[in-house]
Amino acid sequence: MSHAETIEVAYQNSRSELLKYATAITGDRQQAEDILQDAWLRCTAAAVSEQIREPIRFLFRVVRNLALDYRRRRTYEKRYINVEVDDRVIDNARAYEASPEDAAISTQEIRMLMTALSELDHRTRMAVEMHRFENAKLREIAQTLGVSLTMAHNLVAEGLRHCRNHLRRAD
């Protein structure tokens, strides 16, 4: 049995426990599913180049590290980025059967948001759009823009802060 097959068997046999473990750390089952997918990719890539002696332990460690990274990032974002305003705008825009009043408010908020986005430089705007509208991860944004992970985070934070301030000024 190859190293990759060993990891696959360990993953399949432990998937439900890994999911519970990631959910307990993140508090979000959907995010835990994403973490498992990322862990699977990382572990199979590692198994190609090296033998993993304890595959189940390795899987749990990778899941734990990814879940803790997610939790830290989420804590940081809640502390320094007011995502409530941004989520409210996006949720209103996605409302399927909004009342005429809600639809008018959503349309106005979207126009204000688009104005705020147009005021950003190209790189910052692209980072914000990828993060908020395409659900791209910071590492994907960094790779696409050719910047460091820290710079990608700073671009998203700066862009969201600008949009939030623009929406607050309009209120």
Side-chain angles (χ1 to χ4, degrees), residues 126 130 134 136-147:
M126 194 168 171
M130 287 178 70
E134 299 171 20
K137 294 182 178 183
L138 290 174
R139 88 176 134 262
E140 296 168 338
I141 296 167
Q143 186 177 20
T144 301
L145 297 179
V147 299

Side-chain angles (χ1 to χ4, degrees), residues 19-110:
L19 183 60
K20 287 177 192 174
Y21 187 58
T23 302
I25 294 171
T26 63
D28 182 346
R29 184 176 170 90
Q30 185 176 9
Q31 185 60 41
E33 289 280 0
D34 291 342
I35 287 169
L36 282 188
Q37 184 177 21
D38 198 13
W40 163 251
L41 294 172
R42 289 176 188 227
C43 290
T44 54
V48 169
S49 62
E50 63 186 88
Q51 180 182 3
I52 298 169
R53 295 179 195 260
E54 298 180 41
I56 293 175
R57 178 178 264 167
F58 183 68
L59 282 163
F60 272 92
R61 187 173 10 158
V62 171
V63 167
R64 179 180 182 275
N65 290 343
L66 291 170
L68 289 173
D69 286 347
Y70 166 79
R71 195 170 72 186
R72 278 188 218 108
R73 183 176 62 249
R74 204 66 189 140
T75 300
Y76 177 85
E77 287 174 352
K78 284 181 180 177
R79 183 178 301 152
Y80 295 108
I81 303 171
N82 183 357
V83 294
E84 293 173 17
V85 172
D86 302 319
D87 288 342
R88 181 177 51 95
V89 171
I90 291 169
D91 288 344
N92 283 341
R94 290 182 179 160
Y96 181 70
E97 292 184 359
S99 69
E101 182 179 280
D102 287 341
I105 290 170
S106 295
T107 302
Q108 180 182 4
E109 288 175 338
I110 290 171

Side-chain angles (χ1 to χ4, degrees), residues 85-86 116 158-171:
V85 172
D86 302 319
E158 176 186 326
L160 291 176
R161 191 171 19 260
H162 174 78
C163 291
R164 182 185 67 240
N165 290 339
H166 187 84
L167 290 171
R168 282 186 179 160
R169 282 186 298 227
D171 284 342

